[in-house]
Amino acid sequence: MTELKLRTGGATHRGAHRENNEDSMVVAGSLCVVADGMGGHEAGEVASRLCVRQLAYSPFFTMPGGRSEEEQQAYAERLAAIDESDPAKRRRRANTLLNNEIVGTLNRLHDILGETNEEIKQALSRAGGTTVTGAWLTSIGDRNLWVIFNVGDSRTYRLLREDEGIHHSAMEKLPGAEGAASLEQVTTDHSEVQYLVDEGQITALEALTHPRRNVITRALGTGNYWEPDFWVLPARAGDRLMLCSDGLSGELSHEYMARVLTSIRHPQDAADVLQHEALRSGGRDNITVIVADAVEA
């Protein structure tokens, strides 16, 4: 297994019309987090900062899969004990063991987000809350993985490459002519307009200008529903992810973001360009973006 690490770039700005920046972001080791606070002056800012601080300081994200050395050793022993006489049976049992480890990791991550939710509630007495999206580059067994989580309408995207069997009518060339890629929104917004789109009541195009497009249905710290969504994706060198608040995704088209992410090699340069263009497009909200590349250690 090739050891991977992150190379990242990030940018945040209060926008053209806001007095303060209620967004927060952090890169801590192999964890990236973007949080978009709400609740008015100071409350949203405090909520988002509490969120990223709680996650950044958690020792959970410093261990492969969030598991202790003893747990990793126990997994290795269970894997080694599988009968090797039947390759198909061994493969099935190995996959079952791996899936159980992944589920255990997600359960612990769920608990950490629950603790973060309680911390914000206690600090602000439900006067403020925050969305959050995160991407964690980790490993379990012999697999490099992206663990992505989301509460609210902050988003995580990833570039899908041509050699992964993705066929897209508007693929962009990667830097250095390394092939083609398209941009996929991994997370799903927890918002009223996304519900209407899912139910077929409005189109995705209509959602962009819907009067209730900023009403979210899940958040941390508000005392309301906060359950996160999780995605576990295979990771390999060359992967590129983008995390952002709705102040960026609401100003730039999907096609433009794809063009920037596929044409600019260094993640910091890409993040700077995206933030600058979101400001030029109106900057109606706080703008935060992290671009994260998986590279060989």
Side-chain angles (χ1 to χ4, degrees):
M1 180 181 70
T2 302
E3 184 182 355
L4 300 179
K5 67 176 183 179
L6 286 183
R7 181 175 62 179
T8 65
T12 188
H13 195 282
R14 64 182 176 86
H17 303 286
R18 297 296 183 94
E19 293 183 357
N20 65 317
N21 191 351
E22 294 184 297
D23 287 358
S24 296
M25 68 176 185
V26 71
V27 177
S30 61
L31 173 69
C32 302
V33 180
V34 167
D36 181 355
M38 55 192 174
H41 185 64
E42 292 189 355
E45 187 174 347
V46 171
S48 67
R49 286 184 179 179
L50 282 173
C51 177
V52 300
R53 185 184 69 181
Q54 183 91 349
L55 297 175
Y57 288 148
S58 173
F60 174 82
F61 296 104
T62 66
M63 303 178 290
R67 299 163 304 140
S68 66
E69 291 185 5
E70 292 77 10
E71 290 170 321
Q72 295 174 52
Q73 180 63 31
Y75 169 74
E77 292 173 356
R78 290 195 298 272
L79 191 62
I82 296 176
D83 183 7
E84 298 183 7
S85 59
D86 185 341
K89 181 179 179 181
R90 175 177 174 78
R91 192 160 50 247
R92 288 194 301 271
R93 291 192 61 189
N95 285 337
T96 298
L97 280 177
L98 177 64
N99 289 337
N100 289 340
E101 292 292 304
I102 292 172
V103 169
T105 293
L106 297 182
N107 286 336
R108 293 183 188 181
L109 179 51
H110 179 278
D111 291 342
I112 290 170
L113 290 169
E115 293 166 4
T116 303
N117 177 64
E118 290 300 319
E119 172 110 355
I120 298 169
K121 280 169 56 179
Q122 293 176 14
L124 297 174
S125 301
R126 304 185 184 183
T130 186
T131 71
V132 63
T133 190
W136 177 32
L137 180 62
T138 189
S139 62
I140 298 180
D142 62 349
R143 307 288 182 91
N144 288 314
L145 301 171
W146 290 106
V147 177
I148 296 170
F149 54 92
N150 183 62
V151 181
D153 62 354
S154 294
R155 296 177 177 178
T156 295
Y157 295 83
R158 69 165 174 165
L159 286 180
L160 291 175
R161 293 173 294 194
E162 193 174 34
D163 59 358
E164 292 174 309
I166 305 301
H167 302 284
H168 195 281
S169 60
M171 279 191 165
E172 301 282 349
K173 282 292 181 183
L174 288 165
E178 297 169 356
S182 61
L183 188 64
E184 174 199 35
Q185 182 181 332
V186 178
T187 57
T188 300
D189 293 351
H190 301 142
S191 65
E192 285 194 6
V193 294
Q194 184 62 50
Y195 174 80
L196 295 175
V197 171
D198 293 342
E199 291 295 306
Q201 297 183 33
I202 63 173
T203 67
L205 187 61
E206 291 171 332
L208 296 176
T209 56
H210 195 280
R212 295 182 65 80
R213 62 186 178 276
N214 294 323
V215 179
I216 62 173
T217 54
R218 302 188 202 179
L220 298 180
T222 62
N224 297 324
Y225 193 58
W226 64 272
E227 284 296 312
D229 288 340
F230 296 110
W231 294 261
V232 180
L233 308 173
R236 64 178 182 175
D239 286 351
R240 170 164 282 188
L241 270 60
M242 182 187 79
L243 295 76
C244 66
S245 62
D246 64 336
L248 184 117
S249 57
E251 296 289 359
L252 302 179
S253 70
H254 188 277
E255 291 74 20
Y256 181 79
M257 293 188 294
R259 192 174 305 120
V260 170
L261 291 170
T262 54
S263 62
I264 298 179
R265 179 175 292 277
H266 197 283
Q268 185 60 58
D269 295 334
D272 289 340
V273 168
L274 289 165
Q275 179 202 265
H276 178 71
E277 289 305 313
L279 278 170
R280 285 189 58 189
S281 297
R284 291 166 289 181
D285 200 351
N286 304 146
I287 302 164
T288 300
V289 57
I290 295 175
V291 178
D293 293 347
V295 298
E296 293 188 11

